[in-house]
Amino acid sequence: MNQQALRSKFNEVFQKEKLYFFAPGRVNLIGEHTDYNGGHVFPCALSFGTHCVFCKRDDDKIRLHSLNLPEKGVIEADLNHIEYKKEQDWANYPLGMIKTLQNHGYKLDHGFELLFWGDIPNGAGLSSSASIELATAVAMNKAFNLHIPQVELVKMAQEDENKFVGMNCGIMDQFASGMGKEDHAILLDCNTLDYEYVPLNLRGVSIVIINSNKKHALVTSEYNTRRKECEHALKELQQKLPVKSLGELSIEQFEQNKHLITNETERCRAKHAVYENQRTLQASAALKKGDLATFGKLMNESHVSLRDDYETSAPELDIIAETAWSVPGVLGARITGGGFGGCAVALVKDEAVKPLMDAINRVYPQKTGLKADFYIASAGGPARQMEKRY
Ligand code: GLA
């Protein structure tokens, strides 16, 4: 018997089998800050994300380690008393996921170890947190035979982030990580959770992700403020309009009734939410027709709206977007994700990818002292169990 066979015999006899899972990050093509406003989003899952290895324990301990943050060591918790603790740091995401499953009545009847490793740049706005949540969710689902439908795991991951971690996010990131499909973007109606996979038939055009390497600081507090501002604007519109969310409004309805929103800043926030939702619908329709020029133009409009009306861009991202717009063959470019830093996403003719990189490498470090990183995105599949490797 060779070493490999002996090792798997050991696992079989002592039930030390390790299960291997993966959950992707996401890039949002268009539809920013529309999810919690009951609008549409148009993200795709990426081929990179968070890998997670599960191994059963005989007691009630949970032990977690991240190879990305080895200095945090092994973080331990008691399966029966999971609570949020600041010093648990990144481990609050998986622990919150486990706690949320328990809150929903799912029984995890023994402890375990989880080892994480992610290849998503941290703080880049490509949903490393959602991918940790979903990797944990699919691991628990499989290891404890919970048989929870994937879309329910997605909802519970959002609940983890909202209630346990304290980030009042919408459902886009968790949905993209949990429901992604290779070579497709997802048009998701965040009001109903109806969704449609749209083929990324780009023919000679690439999706380029440009990481500003400006970490998105203050994102939680600013994000939660934006959400409140939109909720208040909606309340004022509801004095006259029978709508449940800003996502239900057409541009005409908004323009006719925007005077009901008394605060000017809140009027701008609501304007973004309404217009961005319409842009998302137009962009996905354009993609279906193969009209990438229109898609790109809508991306540019999205950036301007996030910069001026929603104020979630950052000077670094404005420089990247503006530089990209000046390069022939770049069809569109915009900040992507929660904002205040992170990444831009651009739709670029293949022959213009190098000129785009050259232009950004020329302008960006000089203006900001930072260096940008580039990734050519390919849309990948959902959070899942991978082949057994151990
Ligand atoms: C973050 C949130 C999402 C979404 C985006 C902005 O990524 O987690 O729910 O609101 O910001 O579009």
Side-chain angles (χ1 to χ4, degrees):
M1 203 178 282
N2 66 18
Q3 207 185 338
Q4 183 57 36
L6 254 176
R7 190 196 291 243
S8 67
K9 266 289 166 217
F10 179 98
N11 290 339
E12 196 183 306
V13 173
F14 295 112
Q15 301 197 342
K16 280 288 174 199
E17 189 188 30
K18 297 178 184 69
L19 305 173
Y20 181 45
F21 302 90
F22 170 78
R26 65 98 188 91
V27 64
N28 190 19
L29 301 178
I30 193 162
E32 218 66 81
H33 293 278
T34 43
D35 57 355
Y36 54 85
N37 282 311
H40 292 75
V41 292
F42 200 40
C44 53
L46 293 168
S47 53
F48 44 82
T50 299
H51 304 254
C52 166
V53 182
F54 171 98
C55 185
K56 177 179 175 189
R57 289 177 63 90
D58 295 329
D59 56 16
D60 280 349
K61 262 190 198 158
I62 304 174
R63 304 181 78 231
L64 308 127
H65 184 75
S66 164
L67 295 174
N68 297 87
L69 295 161
E71 66 281 8
K72 305 279 177 194
V74 173
I75 297 172
E76 282 196 9
D78 177 340
L79 181 61
N80 305 307
H81 297 101
I82 299 173
E83 49 185 9
Y84 180 90
K85 287 185 194 150
K86 197 165 187 298
E87 65 272 19
Q88 284 168 176
D89 202 75
W90 69 273
N92 281 308
Y93 291 94
L95 287 170
M97 190 67 236
I98 296 159
K99 180 74 179 169
T100 307
L101 287 163
Q102 291 174 328
N103 290 345
H104 282 259
Y106 293 102
K107 200 165 158 33
L108 313 179
D109 53 7
H110 55 76
F112 47 86
E113 269 122 19
L114 289 175
L115 179 72
F116 291 91
W117 177 72
D119 50 3
I120 311 178
N122 200 1
L126 299 177
S127 293
S128 54
S129 343
S131 75
I132 294 174
E133 292 153 13
L134 262 300
T136 310
V138 289
M140 296 298 113
N141 204 19
K142 177 74 194 172
F144 292 96
N145 292 312
L146 304 177
H147 304 293
I148 304 172
Q150 191 90 346
V151 75
E152 295 304 317
L153 295 178
V154 164
K155 290 188 210 163
M156 284 190 251
Q158 184 198 12
E159 190 181 324
D160 163 18
E161 191 137 344
N162 290 171
K163 296 195 181 150
F164 194 86
V165 179
M167 163 84 171
N168 215 359
C169 64
I171 197 145
M172 169 170 69
D173 304 352
Q174 290 76 11
F175 200 96
S177 181
M179 304 293 288
K181 183 171 172 180
E182 242 170 75
D183 300 324
H184 288 73
I186 313 168
L187 177 64
L188 171 67
D189 178 341
C190 301
N191 233 345
T192 58
L193 292 195
D194 288 341
Y195 63 97
E196 182 189 344
Y197 291 118
V198 181
L200 281 170
N201 258 339
L202 298 179
R203 289 184 311 274
V205 170
S206 295
I207 298 170
V208 182
I209 298 174
I210 307 152
N211 187 356
S212 69
N213 283 311
K214 159 92 184 343
K215 297 254 190 296
H216 53 188
L218 284 181
V219 67
T220 304
S221 63
E222 288 291 335
Y223 184 96
N224 291 348
T225 306
R226 294 296 180 285
R227 198 170 170 157
K228 281 203 195 106
E229 288 166 342
C230 288
E231 281 162 8
H232 191 250
L234 173 65
K235 241 194 206 131
E236 292 188 317
L237 290 170
Q238 283 169 333
Q239 292 164 10
K240 192 169 150 210
L241 298 170
V243 290
K244 289 204 189 68
S245 70
L246 294 176
E248 287 172 37
L249 291 172
S250 66
I251 285 174
E252 295 69 36
Q253 275 173 316
F254 176 76
E255 289 299 332
Q256 281 158 17
N257 295 284
K258 64 182 181 190
H259 60 274
L260 295 169
I261 307 170
T262 44
N263 177 295
E264 201 187 325
T265 304
E266 289 179 2
R267 206 177 309 132
C268 291
R269 307 297 194 236
K271 176 180 174 207
H272 168 79
V274 172
Y275 277 70
E276 180 78 354
N277 185 39
Q278 297 304 327
R279 275 192 286 272
T280 307
L281 292 170
Q282 289 164 15
S284 53
L287 180 63
K288 285 186 207 162
K289 283 193 288 186
D291 179 0
L292 298 179
T294 299
F295 196 108
K297 198 173 132 278
L298 292 161
M299 288 173 86
N300 296 351
E301 288 173 15
S302 167
H303 184 88
V304 170
S305 176
L306 289 159
R307 183 189 67 194
D308 299 344
D309 286 333
Y310 218 66
E311 295 183 281
T312 51
S313 187
E316 291 80 357
L317 271 301
D318 294 339
I319 293 168
I320 288 178
E322 280 155 27
T323 308
W325 298 339
S326 72
V327 176
V330 172
L331 303 175
R334 57 181 287 275
I335 184 173
T336 183
F340 308 102
C343 289
V345 59
L347 208 55
V348 187
K349 288 191 178 161
D350 287 343
E351 63 273 20
V353 172
K354 179 145 189 330
L356 167 68
M357 293 182 184
D358 290 345
I360 290 178
N361 285 336
R362 213 168 33 243
V363 174
Y364 186 65
Q366 182 216 329
K367 289 200 174 162
T368 63
L370 294 167
K371 195 186 150 302
D373 289 320
F374 302 90
Y375 315 91
I376 307 290
S378 54
R384 60 198 180 269
Q385 182 176 21
M386 308 294 275
E387 57 179 307
K388 287 180 199 160
R389 290 246 181 111
Y390 304 87

